[in-house]
Amino acid sequence: MIRLAISKGRILEQAIDILNKINITCKYNPLSTRKLIIPTNNAQLEIVIIKATDVPLYIDSGKVDLGIVGIDTLLENSATNHYRLADLKISKCKLVVAGKPAMKYFNNMKVATKYPNAAKNYFEEAGLQCSILKLYGSIELATVLGLSDFIVDIVESGKTLKENNLKEYDKIADISSLLIANKVSYKLKKTKIDALVSKVLNNGK
Ligand code: PRP
């Protein structure tokens, strides 16, 4: 049996499309069911729906063999007991620094973000000190209301920045979703996992 975790949220729909393309269908609709473990038409594969930030822990502990998770989540996590098997090139977006127009970086500025590690590393490498405010959503609001001077956040279409009159200052990283595997699971189930990965990469051909 292979257990595959998929992050809830923006990744889920596109990940299910990928599975459908390789003729794997879920027994319950992952977008509407409240079931957390979903069997598929392949008796050897089940899907587990997990909050994005929790996926690395489940994978690294070996409770789940494979996971589809965003690079943004991995950037924030110290888990290393997994291999990155493939870039699925879904849920593409970027992690950026943004703020009100005509701002300049300065020492001890306040930066609000859901991604404190990535933000801290970025500004440290740029030789700038800043204090990080960890928030959990609607990050743009922090700089609009002056809670912070800048934000570090995900930009996908750019609509949220535009509609709140904010400007992108720097790109920190390109983000997409990766297929990762617990190291021991990969060793023990290599043939099955490799076959699945190769189908995914060849789009079911
Ligand atoms: C994300 C991100 C931005 C927005 C960017 O938030 O934090 O706010 O999407 O997307 P856009 O460039 O296409 O406008 P999300 O929708 O995940 O919700 P959140 O506010 O709860 O973080």
Side-chain angles (χ1 to χ4, degrees):
M1 168 66 76
I2 295 177
R3 227 175 241 164
L4 167 66
I6 305 180
S7 303
K8 273 188 200 171
R10 60 181 68 217
I11 290 173
L12 185 56
E13 211 165 318
Q14 292 178 57
I16 296 302
D17 278 351
I18 288 185
L19 293 179
N20 290 345
K21 274 192 193 138
I22 63 169
N23 297 317
I24 292 170
T25 51
C26 295
K27 297 253 161 119
Y28 302 91
N29 181 352
L31 300 174
S32 54
T33 183
R34 296 298 294 172
K35 280 190 180 294
L36 301 171
I37 301 179
I38 306 175
T40 69
N41 60 338
N42 176 340
Q44 290 305 308
L45 180 74
E46 62 188 16
I47 307 299
V48 192
I49 308 297
I50 303 181
K51 189 174 164 67
T53 45
D54 297 338
V55 171
L57 179 60
Y58 278 96
I59 297 294
D60 276 42
S61 67
K63 296 295 172 202
V64 176
D65 305 298
L66 294 177
I68 297 178
V69 63
I71 291 173
D72 53 332
T73 301
L74 295 175
L75 277 176
E76 282 309 297
N77 203 288
S78 55
T80 53
N81 191 28
H82 58 258
Y83 296 120
R84 296 181 175 200
L85 299 183
D87 184 346
L88 300 179
K89 302 195 162 62
I90 55 169
S91 309
K92 284 189 174 184
C93 53
K94 52 188 177 172
L95 186 66
V96 308
V97 183
K100 286 183 182 161
M103 290 280 291
K104 284 213 164 75
Y105 295 159
F106 57 94
N107 264 319
N108 299 322
M109 60 193 177
K110 287 188 220 137
V111 178
T113 186
K114 263 192 270 190
Y115 302 95
N117 292 339
K120 192 168 165 277
N121 291 341
Y122 176 79
F123 286 111
E124 262 176 22
E125 274 169 30
L128 283 158
Q129 288 188 350
C130 61
S131 54
I132 305 282
L133 308 174
K134 161 92 182 176
L135 296 180
Y136 297 88
S138 303
I139 307 300
E140 293 81 1
L141 191 61
T143 185
V144 170
L145 294 185
L147 180 69
S148 72
D149 303 299
F150 290 92
I151 58 166
V152 165
D153 199 19
I154 293 296
V155 167
E156 193 171 6
S157 64
K159 202 164 173 244
T160 311
L161 287 187
K162 194 160 178 246
E163 292 194 0
N164 293 289
N165 305 313
L166 297 174
K167 178 184 157 185
E168 177 182 327
Y169 283 89
D170 270 312
K171 180 171 85 176
I172 297 179
D174 284 309
I175 307 292
S176 57
S177 292
L178 306 183
L179 182 64
I180 63 173
N182 171 271
K183 285 184 177 172
V184 175
S185 296
Y186 186 64
K187 216 177 260 172
L188 297 177
K189 304 177 187 179
K190 189 173 187 311
T191 313
K192 276 184 191 157
I193 292 177
D194 281 348
L196 183 71
V197 172
S198 115
K199 267 196 208 162
V200 165
L201 292 177
N202 292 311
N203 233 335
K205 280 172 228 148

